[in-house]
Amino acid sequence: MIFGVLNQKGGVGKTTLSVNLAACFARAGARVLLIDADPQGSALDWAAARQGPPLFSVVGFPRATIHKEISQLGQGYDHIIIDGPPRVTDLARSAIMASDVVVIPVQPSPYDIWAAEEVVKLIAEAHIYKENIKSVFVVNRKITNTAIGRDVRDALAAYPIRVLDASVAQRVVFAEAAAQGQAIFEIDPAGPAVAEIEAVAAELMEYAK
């Protein structure tokens, strides 16, 4: 399965979600490839910061030919995560075309909800060429017990894209893990962040069927 994690707005936690979803799938025994398609190379930086053996493969491929080369790049892997670029470009279009499911992380903020329109348009364009592309919103970096955290689902209902029931809260452990090139389950295996990522991964896999 190929999951493209995209949102044209920066700072939504794209790389954090990509890395930890990849780690979650790998922890379950799958062979996982994380493709860093963001020219900023944040996922590659994460991999470079890691001291221990890799949890999964990470390659940099910020080129607008991902959809043409994904079958060769992903040969032998069970799941591929594409950490997409933060702008609407040919590279973003290519990452969408390469994906089975486009995962759109959205922070519970009006700016993020408005900005989601751009990636929704790109997905609609891609449907013309690849009808079976699926797409979902994931509420990410949610601040618990706030009105905007609760209302974001209603606001996203304006778009013709499903919002996952599972969501991910804003937690310091994500930054702590990233600084060490680790996944959150290595930092706090029994913590709520791990449970949230596992819930998102399980729902994505169910939706992707």
Side-chain angles (χ1 to χ4, degrees):
M1 194 61 58
I2 304 171
F3 298 98
V5 183
L6 290 115
N7 192 325
Q8 68 94 31
K9 186 178 182 299
V12 296
K14 225 171 16 65
T15 300
T16 298
L17 190 62
S18 297
V19 162
N20 284 291
L21 282 175
C24 184
F25 292 139
R27 189 185 184 193
R31 290 200 64 207
V32 181
L33 172 66
L34 174 58
I35 297 177
D36 191 340
D38 185 342
Q40 293 177 350
S42 298
L44 288 173
D45 290 340
W46 173 86
R50 186 172 179 79
Q51 297 296 314
L55 297 171
F56 48 84
S57 301
V58 183
V59 299
F61 201 84
R63 290 188 242 162
T65 55
I66 297 174
H67 63 295
K68 296 178 181 177
E69 302 184 55
I70 192 73
S71 58
Q72 186 172 355
L73 284 168
Q75 199 165 22
Y77 291 95
D78 301 309
H79 301 304
I80 301 168
I81 310 283
I82 302 172
D83 183 12
R87 288 173 296 282
V88 173
T89 59
D90 288 342
L91 177 51
R93 290 183 174 88
S94 182
I96 289 170
M97 287 294 293
S99 302
D100 297 314
V101 179
V102 179
V103 181
I104 310 165
V106 178
Q107 292 184 119
S109 116
Y111 303 107
D112 284 61
I113 292 161
W114 297 331
E117 184 176 357
E118 295 300 325
V119 73
V120 170
K121 286 179 180 176
L122 284 186
I123 294 167
E125 290 174 10
H127 269 293
I128 298 170
Y129 306 99
K130 189 176 178 181
E131 292 182 4
N132 59 344
I133 294 176
K134 295 183 176 182
S135 53
V136 292
F137 286 118
V138 177
V139 179
N140 199 34
R141 291 184 169 175
K142 182 175 73 172
I143 300 173
T144 55
N145 300 320
T146 60
I148 187 65
R150 293 189 295 270
D151 296 346
V152 63
R153 294 178 185 279
D154 294 337
L156 289 172
Y159 296 112
I161 291 178
R162 172 178 167 176
V163 184
L164 290 190
D165 292 330
S167 60
V168 181
Q170 175 82 290
R171 300 185 190 279
V172 174
V173 68
F174 286 109
E176 292 174 342
Q180 301 173 52
Q182 292 188 305
I184 50 165
F185 76 81
E186 297 175 290
I187 297 286
D188 187 16
V194 172
E196 290 168 355
I197 291 292
E198 287 178 342
V200 169
E203 196 174 347
L204 281 175
M205 287 304 298
E206 187 64 29
Y207 178 65
K209 289 180 180 176

